[in-house]
Amino acid sequence: MISTVLVANRGEIACRVFRTCRELGISTVAVYSDADAGALHVREADAAVRLPGAAPSETYLRGDLVVKAALAAGADAVHPGYGFLSENADFARAVTDAGLVWIGPPPEAIEAMASKTRAKELLGIAPLADVTEADLPVLVKAAAGGGGRGMRIVRELAALPEELKAASAEAASAFGDGEVFVEPYVENGRHVEVQVLADTHGTVWALGTRDCSLQRRHQKVIEEAPAPGLPDELRASLRDTAVRAAEAVGYVGAGTVEFLVADGRAHFLEMNTRLQVEHPVTEEVYGVDLVALQLAVAQGEALPPEPPAPSGHAIEARLYAEDPARGWAPQTGVLHRFEVPREGRVRVDTGYVSGDEVGIHYDAMLAKVVVHAPTRAEAVRKLAHALERTRIHGPATNRELLVASLRHPEYAAAERLDTGFYERNLTALTVAPEGAEYAAVAAALAEASANRARFGGGWRNLRSQDETRAYGDTEIRYRPTRDGGYEVTLPEGVRVVSAGPDRVRLEVGGVVRDVDVTAYEDGTVHAGPHRLTPRPRFPDPADQREPGSLLAPMPGTVVRLADGLAVGDRVAAGQPLLWLEAMKMEHRVTAPASGTLTALHAAPGRQVEVGALLAVVQTEATEEDPV
């Protein structure tokens, strides 16, 4: 029997496994990098072992250090979580060679499915070779790893060589393996997967389907089970293929077989030899604990011949610290307040609590918010409501996008669930949320009330000029009134019922609403569910940059420069100059205009903060441009 488990992972992943271990009476061991010394998963574990350094390559990807940590802490088993070393066959062997129980599939099964090219060969699927114009568009993919890394869509044949090179470089950096392959790109297909679970006695479960089509940058955002609207014949085909893939490699433990569904047909993508981030939706529908079943299988226990019957519908939303309107740029900073309402059995899997800091080194996901309901429509409504009432004070997040996505007609009716959802709808989904203008009014009046309480002041016999406050593109104008209140002159139609430093009551169109307001030292203001950034009344001269300055849009690490890039080069508007890696995502930084590169302050390996000067492109006036 397993008595102590080390989880070779961090954050939400480790916290999720620890929760099941506690319920089963199993002790837990965490490993942590220097950047994670105060992280929630470290605080929740019974014991913790430091892995010196901050970069994943120095810490969580060092299998030798993780095995030593397990032995030092007295663990008798290792759970890999998902990500990092979870699909590393050599790490699995090192664990078992050290006399520890490996809570995962056999190393041989991991190796067989680790390469997408070899996995396809097992199922009789050949990759695309000798690409021609007739084959376009195509998808370049990394043979190892996943999460959208090393993946490129190619629509023009001339662009293929450069995209192959870029995908290979990214794959080598992310997975230590630069092998890539090319396959037909299925435009706007559905990403559907099947959860499998197998024991050492020959039983293989297929626990239904999941739809993970809502993705950004090839990474999942909203997932649900079961996948809606699939014909019974197609469901059976997906299930049979998934079981066949598991049986072909002698699979043991939890795994996922992924497909792209288009035109009523399923195209095999890959098999992930680990638990998936989105496993909670399957747990909710089938009433099982997949981590507990992983532990049971690792101890040699047999699964029942058939899985439990499914019930109802479950949906999961990934809450990220990122700005969807700015290229999904990851965000960092202190999470001053983080509260998700749990009424109605809302499940929250997270590695953060209020007061924690979101750093630059790892994935930007704050939490997975999961609901279960008898029907899909009820689950959609329930999850949107829970997210809408969630309070997140700190970095910008995708919370508003998630709410808008769930309520979008295409998603709510399950009419066009495909991977092109955000490409079609992102602009409409990232407009200022309803009520943002009135939240800005509340923020301005709360600040005025705080200043009044601190410094005194109020109504004067001579009519004062309007006070002005701006938040982003929203401008607010107001003035004190004789009775100690405020009159709002912009926007029109707002009556102030009462105003204090922490709460403002407004009446708009006959409807009265209370808005709680909190301001933080980092300059952000949160009014109800809205995050506002005040616009400075007087810009700081130190913030001014010379024209053509190219600033880091996010904190991250410079991973590479464009080939041969040097000061003095002529560059074209939109030309890629360098690539930043931030929180598991690679971001291309392009020339802001055509001109000459007059300064280059970026070099591979350099870590930069948001707003750091990367390069300067001096534009040249044309005959049409005024001098």
Side-chain angles (χ1 to χ4, degrees), residues 354-365:
S354 297
D356 287 349
E357 184 167 0
V358 183
I360 67 172
H361 297 286
Y362 311 111
D363 186 80
M365 190 175 75

Side-chain angles (χ1 to χ4, degrees), residues 191-197 205-212 230 234-243 254-259 270-272 276 282 286:
H191 186 118
V192 178
E193 57 192 34
V194 177
Q195 175 74 58
V196 297
L197 186 71
W205 283 0
L207 291 163
T209 58
R210 296 189 289 252
D211 190 294
C212 310
L230 296 181
L234 181 56
R235 288 185 189 277
S237 174
L238 293 168
R239 181 181 64 246
D240 293 345
T241 302
V243 170
T256 303
V257 183
E258 301 192 344
F259 303 87
E270 62 183 312
M271 181 177 186
N272 291 309
Q276 291 278 93
T282 297
Y286 281 85

Side-chain angles (χ1 to χ4, degrees), residues 40-357:
L40 182 62
H41 79 276
V42 179
R43 305 197 299 268
E44 287 197 344
D46 296 312
V49 180
R50 175 180 175 240
L51 304 177
S57 59
E58 301 172 325
T59 56
Y60 298 109
L61 290 173
R62 284 285 303 273
D64 57 333
L65 297 183
V66 174
V67 171
K68 287 180 181 178
L71 295 173
D76 51 16
V78 172
H79 192 298
Y82 27 100
F84 290 140
L85 295 168
S86 61
E87 295 180 279
N88 188 305
D90 289 338
F91 178 58
R93 287 194 181 94
V95 169
T96 56
D97 288 347
L100 303 167
V101 176
W102 168 249
I103 306 171
E108 296 76 19
I110 296 175
E111 284 177 331
M113 289 296 179
S115 168
K116 296 178 178 65
T117 52
R118 291 192 289 276
K120 288 176 180 289
E121 288 171 2
L122 279 172
L123 294 175
I125 305 168
L128 190 62
D130 300 323
V131 180
T132 68
E133 288 282 354
D135 298 316
L136 298 175
V138 296
L139 187 65
V140 179
K141 295 179 69 174
R149 308 295 296 275
M151 187 179 294
R152 299 287 191 280
I153 300 171
V154 180
R155 301 184 184 278
E156 297 179 3
L157 199 58
L160 183 59
E162 181 61 30
E163 295 293 10
L164 283 167
K165 184 177 181 179
S168 179
E170 186 178 359
S173 172
F175 314 121
D177 183 348
E179 181 188 354
V180 295
F181 66 97
V182 180
E183 65 182 11
Y185 178 60
V186 180
E187 204 87 55
N188 297 338
R190 290 179 61 181
H191 186 118
V192 178
E193 57 192 34
V194 177
Q195 175 74 58
V196 297
L197 186 71
D199 63 18
T200 57
H201 304 275
T203 299
V204 180
W205 283 0
L207 291 163
T209 58
R210 296 189 289 252
D211 190 294
C212 310
S213 297
L214 266 64
Q215 303 177 5
R216 50 90 165 119
R217 298 172 63 97
H218 307 294
Q219 293 185 320
K220 301 161 188 172
V221 178
I222 296 177
E223 303 107 340
E224 61 183 294
L230 296 181
D232 291 341
E233 184 178 346
L234 181 56
R235 288 185 189 277
S237 174
L238 293 168
R239 181 181 64 246
D240 293 345
T241 302
V243 170
R244 183 160 57 93
E247 292 176 339
V249 294
Y251 200 80
V252 174
T256 303
V257 183
E258 301 192 344
F259 303 87
L260 197 62
V261 174
D263 300 324
R265 295 192 307 136
H267 306 265
F268 172 79
L269 289 176
E270 62 183 312
M271 181 177 186
N272 291 309
T273 53
R274 56 175 168 82
L275 203 61
Q276 291 278 93
V277 176
E278 57 273 18
H279 75 272
V281 292
T282 297
E283 291 184 322
E284 295 297 316
V285 168
Y286 281 85
V288 297
D289 183 330
L290 288 172
V291 173
L293 290 170
Q294 283 184 297
L295 291 163
V297 166
Q299 293 175 146
E301 297 178 27
L303 295 171
E306 297 293 333
S311 175
H313 202 94
I315 307 178
E316 170 182 294
R318 300 192 193 187
L319 193 57
Y320 283 95
E322 66 182 12
D323 188 345
R326 292 178 49 237
W328 311 94
Q331 306 291 299
T332 60
V334 176
L335 200 58
H336 299 292
R337 182 181 179 188
F338 183 36
E339 299 170 359
V340 183
R342 307 295 181 103
E343 297 91 342
R345 294 180 59 194
V346 173
R347 171 175 169 175
V348 181
D349 286 11
T350 182
Y352 291 95
V353 295
S354 297
D356 287 349
E357 184 167 0

Side-chain angles (χ1 to χ4, degrees), residues 585-608:
M585 296 170 65
E586 202 168 271
H587 303 263
R588 183 170 60 181
V589 180
T590 62
S594 297
T596 302
L597 185 69
T598 59
L600 182 61
H601 301 283
R606 179 192 169 195
Q607 287 196 341
V608 298

Side-chain angles (χ1 to χ4, degrees), residues 472-485:
D473 295 329
T474 303
E475 185 174 287
I476 307 300
R477 295 178 189 169
Y478 62 91
R479 64 172 66 100
T481 59
R482 183 188 296 271
D483 59 4

Side-chain angles (χ1 to χ4, degrees), residues 363-491:
D363 186 80
M365 190 175 75
L366 300 178
K368 302 178 309 193
V369 183
V370 190
V371 301
H372 178 263
T375 67
R376 183 179 187 273
E378 291 174 272
V380 169
R381 182 180 64 193
K382 185 176 176 181
L383 181 54
H385 184 63
L387 288 167
E388 191 173 47
R389 295 174 58 232
T390 294
R391 293 293 176 262
I392 312 171
H393 291 183
T397 73
N398 67 337
R399 192 272 306 276
E400 284 80 9
L401 174 90
L402 295 174
V403 174
S405 299
L406 291 164
R407 290 175 174 165
H408 192 280
E410 286 184 12
Y411 182 82
E415 289 178 346
R416 292 188 68 185
L417 288 182
D418 59 53
T419 55
F421 179 83
Y422 286 120
E423 187 176 344
R424 291 191 304 273
N425 300 309
L426 185 60
T427 300
L429 292 170
T430 52
V431 297
E434 185 179 353
E437 186 177 45
Y438 305 117
V441 172
L445 298 183
E447 181 186 18
S449 299
N451 289 336
R452 175 184 286 177
R454 189 179 301 118
F455 304 115
W459 186 85
R460 294 177 295 178
N461 286 329
L462 294 175
R463 186 177 179 88
S464 62
Q465 292 184 333
D466 284 358
E467 293 285 339
T468 301
R469 199 73 171 107
Y471 300 88
D473 295 329
T474 303
E475 185 174 287
I476 307 300
R477 295 178 189 169
Y478 62 91
R479 64 172 66 100
T481 59
R482 183 188 296 271
D483 59 4
Y486 298 94
E487 177 186 353
V488 176
T489 56
L490 185 73

